[in-house]
Amino acid sequence: MNPRINIDLNKLKHNTKLLCDKCKENGIQIAAVTKAFCGNPDIAKAYIDCGVTYLADSRIENLKKLNSLPTEKMLLRLPMISNAKEVVRYADISLNSEIETIIALNDAAKSLDKIHKVIIMIDLGDLREGFFDNKNLKEALSKLKKLKNIKIVGVGSNLTCYGGVIPSEANLGKLVQYSETIENILNTKLEIISGGNSSSIYLLEENRMPQKINNLRLGESILLGRESAYGKHIKNTFGDVFQLVAEVIEVKHKPTVPIGEIGMDAFGNTPEFEDKGIRKRAILAVGRQDFGDNDIKPVEESIEIIGASSDHLIIDITKCDSDYKVGDEITFNIAYGSLLSLMTSEYIYKNITH
Ligand SMILES: *Cc1c(COP(=O)(O)O)cnc(C)c1O
């Protein structure tokens, strides 16, 4: 069925094992992130088969889909108060930075007769989520002590998301200091010191990860074999676990410059064209409604993408050796943004192979 995304679970398992081993050598457990594939349980099972410790997602809708899997679930996005009951029901652990929310989770946990685990988020400078000043944190901790259905199990931080700040010995060292402060104030030992996402992998490779960091929340590095601090390929991993396949619905020779007065394209932009004469072009049945503004890259290097509207992708195949015909398939490699969009599109068939 087309268009489709091919998902190679053998390659995914290879990547998961490799990163699990690399982390284990450094005393680190993995919370494997499922949001880029919308919490598909068949894909998440591949993570579990390879020994990850937690499944983690930013959306409760996805954790619901994973409910029957035996692994502990972690909610990555700060919970909404209006959703506290669902959070307690479907997440064993959530990441938090607001005392009001933790109080709501405590109430929900009480009514469901559960203990909900919490990781306290610290903002180390990337300026997305997390406690930012010590006074605010200490006030929250003093209120937390009274909550009977909440267990503070860890501390965490997120970097390289909003601000692009790269994890380092210095900022993750600060996280370790925070963990000690919290342990002292709450008089408990924290089980989880969570040192970030796929942008922290490079510290492992350079042997610079602070000792006490014992957890990473990894999505992109496992799924695409790419660390996200510098965008480098991780050695011996597959970068093509996921590939987009789309079908040719027209092949014709056409000019490169449109004929007539140029107004706006489908997205309100005024396009410009370089005259390269008559070219051989193909239209594929896939479009921006599926991959948004994100990059996709033809596996065959002689193919050039020349434009896309909501449901059509136009490519230049003049330089291709193969004589593409209507009904043929073209394969693309994808990056994180296009993976998210394609997995979210209900028009893309999800083709999982073992
Ligand atoms: C998405 C997310 C992750 C995983 O990020 P990757 O770059 O895909 O490894 C980790 N932590 C939080 C809080 C997230 O939202």
Side-chain angles (χ1 to χ4, degrees):
M1 277 228 275
N2 287 331
R4 65 179 188 272
I5 187 161
N6 285 340
I7 303 157
D8 187 326
L9 287 193
N10 279 327
K11 288 183 176 174
L12 179 60
K13 283 184 187 175
H14 170 92
N15 287 3
T16 312
K17 279 198 198 100
L18 187 134
L19 281 159
C20 271
D21 289 348
K22 198 188 279 283
C23 285
K24 207 180 256 171
E25 283 166 26
N26 291 271
I28 290 174
Q29 293 184 325
I30 294 183
V33 177
T34 55
K35 68 190 183 199
F37 54 85
C38 308
N40 180 315
D42 295 323
I43 305 177
K45 270 190 207 129
Y47 279 163
I48 297 177
D49 289 348
C50 300
V52 306
T53 310
Y54 308 95
L55 293 178
D57 204 290
S58 42
R59 295 172 194 251
I60 280 295
E61 290 85 345
N62 293 345
L63 290 184
K64 253 188 206 177
K65 298 185 208 167
L66 303 170
N67 196 36
S68 66
L69 300 180
T71 309
E72 272 201 295
K73 320 292 180 314
M74 189 183 279
L75 179 66
L76 294 172
R77 185 169 66 188
L78 304 177
M80 294 181 271
I81 287 180
S82 62
N83 211 18
K85 252 198 181 146
E86 296 269 288
V87 172
V88 170
R89 211 172 256 141
Y90 296 106
D92 303 285
I93 309 172
S94 62
L95 311 186
N96 284 274
S97 68
E98 292 285 359
I99 185 66
E100 290 93 332
T101 309
I102 301 175
I103 290 170
L105 292 172
N106 182 62
D107 294 343
K110 199 167 171 184
S111 73
L112 293 168
D113 198 22
K114 279 188 156 191
I115 302 289
H116 183 71
K117 300 181 187 175
V118 162
I119 291 178
I120 299 284
M121 291 302 276
I122 307 290
D123 189 338
L124 298 174
D126 197 56
L127 305 185
R128 200 177 75 182
E129 74 274 46
F131 282 98
F132 193 65
D133 68 80
N134 251 317
K135 184 164 162 277
N136 187 229
L137 174 65
K138 283 182 177 159
E139 277 168 15
L141 290 173
S142 71
K143 290 182 188 159
L144 272 173
K145 285 187 190 167
K146 302 179 194 111
L147 306 178
K148 297 223 159 48
N149 293 70
I150 294 291
K151 184 172 184 215
I152 305 296
V153 292
V155 65
S157 192
N158 200 59
L159 291 156
T160 340
C161 265
Y162 170 72
V165 173
I166 290 176
S168 64
E169 286 155 297
N171 54 30
L172 289 184
K174 261 196 197 155
L175 182 67
V176 171
Q177 284 175 5
Y178 270 105
S179 76
E180 287 159 2
T181 310
I182 295 171
E183 286 181 338
N184 286 334
I185 293 176
L186 296 180
N187 198 22
T188 56
K189 190 105 190 89
L190 296 178
E191 296 157 28
I192 301 172
I193 319 284
S194 188
N197 55 40
S198 295
S199 65
S200 295
I201 291 289
Y202 89 97
L203 287 172
L204 290 182
E205 308 208 315
E206 295 179 6
N207 261 323
R208 287 167 50 203
M209 183 68 82
Q211 271 268 320
K212 281 198 172 172
I213 302 291
N214 64 7
N215 175 282
L216 290 177
R217 310 175 307 272
L218 302 180
E220 180 166 358
S221 50
I222 305 178
L223 298 170
L224 301 177
R226 186 173 175 272
E227 63 79 33
S228 52
Y230 300 100
K232 286 201 197 123
H233 177 73
I234 301 170
K235 242 186 25 210
N236 300 323
T237 60
F238 291 105
D240 58 356
V241 173
F242 297 86
Q243 284 186 317
L244 169 68
V245 179
E247 187 171 321
V248 177
I249 53 173
E250 182 185 293
V251 180
K252 293 198 189 302
H253 287 83
K254 292 190 186 180
T256 27
V257 180
I259 298 120
E261 188 190 344
I262 308 284
M264 285 184 296
D265 67 9
F267 297 94
N269 307 308
T270 305
E272 281 174 35
F273 301 91
E274 184 193 343
D275 192 356
K276 293 190 199 163
I278 303 283
R279 308 288 289 184
K280 187 178 181 188
R281 312 175 351 146
I283 301 179
L284 308 181
V286 69
R288 293 223 179 277
Q289 188 156 15
D290 306 303
F291 53 80
D293 270 339
N294 305 295
D295 271 352
I296 56 174
K297 200 170 163 221
V299 171
E300 192 176 331
E301 285 178 6
S302 54
I303 296 178
E304 199 189 326
I305 294 180
I306 52 184
S309 55
S310 14
D311 313 296
H312 298 81
L313 177 64
I314 310 171
I315 58 176
D316 186 325
I317 52 173
T318 314
K319 288 198 219 135
C320 294
D321 293 328
S322 22
D323 182 25
Y324 285 111
K325 295 199 164 50
V326 171
D328 285 348
E329 294 178 340
I330 309 271
T331 304
F332 296 83
N333 284 321
I334 57 184
Y336 191 73
S338 38
L339 174 63
L340 270 181
S341 296
L342 290 165
M343 289 304 293
T344 307
S345 171
E346 63 174 283
Y347 305 102
I348 299 289
Y349 177 67
K350 316 299 185 297
N351 178 39
I352 301 178
T353 57
H354 298 262

